[in-house]
Amino acid sequence: MKGIVLAGGSGSRLHPVTLAVSKQLMPIYDKPMIYYPLSVLMLAGVRDILVISTPVDLLLFQRLLGDGSRLGIRLSYAEQARPNGLAEAFLIGADHIGNDSVALILGDNVFHGPGFSSLLRAQAGDVKGAVLFGYRVADPHRYGVGEADDTGELISIEEKPSRPRSDRAITGLYFYDNDVIGIARELKPSPRGELEITDVNNVYLKRGLARMVELGRGFAWLDTGTHESLLAAGQFVRTLEERQGLRVACLEEIALNEGYIDAEECHRLGAELGKSPYGRYLMAIAEGAARSTASGAGPDDLVP
């Protein structure tokens, strides 16, 4: 499976702070926003990822993330010159996807929950059709809403309905088989001039190949597109990290736990950021991993 992070757009709901910098480079507590969607793809086992952003912002993402080799992954970059819709990501990324399935995640979405990596890997293993991720919300009329039967097969998809048939919002994480490229090529722009992801999902729905996986109690899904939600996400992450002593969406830690980098490399990356709590955390987990390896502990004994 290939991965795509869509990190474009103007971030108009966050003006004036996004007049000079991409929304996805804004901090959510102690790390840039784009770390959070990247962490989801890495937890799903995806190592070849395309970051799509505006021509102005791409150089900043490249400066932050490089080619991914320091994390044991591959990062490439592509431009979305104008905000022509989420589904344009499959046209821009067609060569990147090749003959593989693809995971698309929006650059301003934050996910966190128990067993998330296992759930992601189970769904990413053999994608046939479209796999969407639903999340119960109190105000479904603000979102795309999916109605599913008892087997998880979708019955209907509605975009911001005035009378929702379900309280399950469709989150900004999508898994598709390779047919998504052809489907995106056949789309017509919506009345607002965009290639809509809902139209892609409805094609799969008509084929009987769309299903929804529910992120149940204990999961958090946050869309950080407004000042209020950005602040709430930062407070959420701060609370988790201070209570547990662990970092959320720590890319280097994920790379270490997955075996993409070793403890020595993780420590070196931490030393580069050594004056920050984040850097000191990386050095500490690297030292713990090295001790565990020396004592013969297995991967399950390492910091999660």
Side-chain angles (χ1 to χ4, degrees), residues 25 51 57-67 76-78:
L25 291 169
V51 177
D57 294 316
L58 271 182
L59 287 177
L60 298 177
F61 285 108
Q62 289 175 296
R63 180 182 176 185
L64 173 68
L65 301 168
D67 63 3
S76 53
Y77 300 86

Side-chain angles (χ1 to χ4, degrees), residues 239-257:
T239 299
L240 284 175
E241 293 188 350
E242 289 187 349
R243 290 290 183 92
Q244 298 180 342
L246 302 172
R247 299 276 162 171
V248 177
C250 180
L251 303 183
E252 296 86 352
E253 182 176 17
I254 296 170
L256 175 64
N257 289 344

Side-chain angles (χ1 to χ4, degrees), residues 4-27:
I4 296 177
V5 179
L6 187 55
S10 62
S12 58
R13 291 184 295 167
L14 287 170
H15 283 175
V17 295
T18 50
L19 289 174
V21 66
S22 168
K23 170 177 61 176
Q24 289 84 10
L25 291 169
M26 297 289 292

Side-chain angles (χ1 to χ4, degrees), residues 30-93:
D30 58 350
K31 60 192 76 68
M33 186 185 296
I34 196 169
Y35 274 40
Y36 295 85
L38 279 175
S39 74
V40 172
L41 296 181
M42 290 176 67
L43 288 171
V46 178
R47 299 182 68 175
D48 194 347
I49 300 168
L50 176 69
V51 177
I52 298 177
S53 189
T54 67
V56 173
D57 294 316
L58 271 182
L59 287 177
L60 298 177
F61 285 108
Q62 289 175 296
R63 180 182 176 185
L64 173 68
L65 301 168
D67 63 3
S69 58
R70 71 187 188 93
L71 297 172
I73 63 175
R74 180 178 183 271
L75 293 175
S76 53
Y77 300 86
E79 296 181 1
Q80 185 181 40
R82 291 175 297 278
N84 293 326
L86 305 186
E88 189 182 36
F90 305 115
L91 306 182
I92 296 171

Side-chain angles (χ1 to χ4, degrees), residues 136-257:
R136 185 190 298 248
V137 294
D139 49 356
H141 61 277
R142 295 178 49 209
Y143 304 94
V145 175
E147 180 189 11
D149 63 18
D150 293 338
T151 68
E153 183 174 341
L154 280 169
I155 300 171
S156 69
I157 300 173
E158 299 177 285
E159 187 64 29
K160 297 180 180 178
S162 57
R163 295 184 177 181
R165 299 178 184 177
S166 165
D167 60 359
R168 268 60 172 183
I170 296 175
T171 70
L173 174 63
Y174 316 86
F175 290 176
Y176 297 104
D177 63 18
N178 196 256
D179 287 349
V180 73
I181 299 173
I183 291 171
R185 285 177 176 152
E186 296 298 320
L187 291 183
K188 304 299 181 185
S190 67
R192 62 177 183 165
E194 296 188 4
L195 300 180
E196 305 286 355
I197 198 74
T198 298
D199 291 340
V200 171
N201 295 335
N202 273 317
V203 171
Y204 280 108
L205 179 64
K206 290 176 182 177
R207 294 179 179 180
L209 292 173
R211 59 191 181 86
M212 185 166 63
V213 175
E214 183 172 348
L215 303 177
R217 298 185 70 164
F219 274 88
W221 167 57
L222 303 170
D223 174 351
T224 57
T226 67
H227 295 289
E228 295 79 9
S229 60
L230 183 62
L231 178 61
Q235 291 171 332
F236 173 77
V237 172
R238 177 186 177 184
T239 299
L240 284 175
E241 293 188 350
E242 289 187 349
R243 290 290 183 92
Q244 298 180 342
L246 302 172
R247 299 276 162 171
V248 177
C250 180
L251 303 183
E252 296 86 352
E253 182 176 17
I254 296 170
L256 175 64
N257 289 344

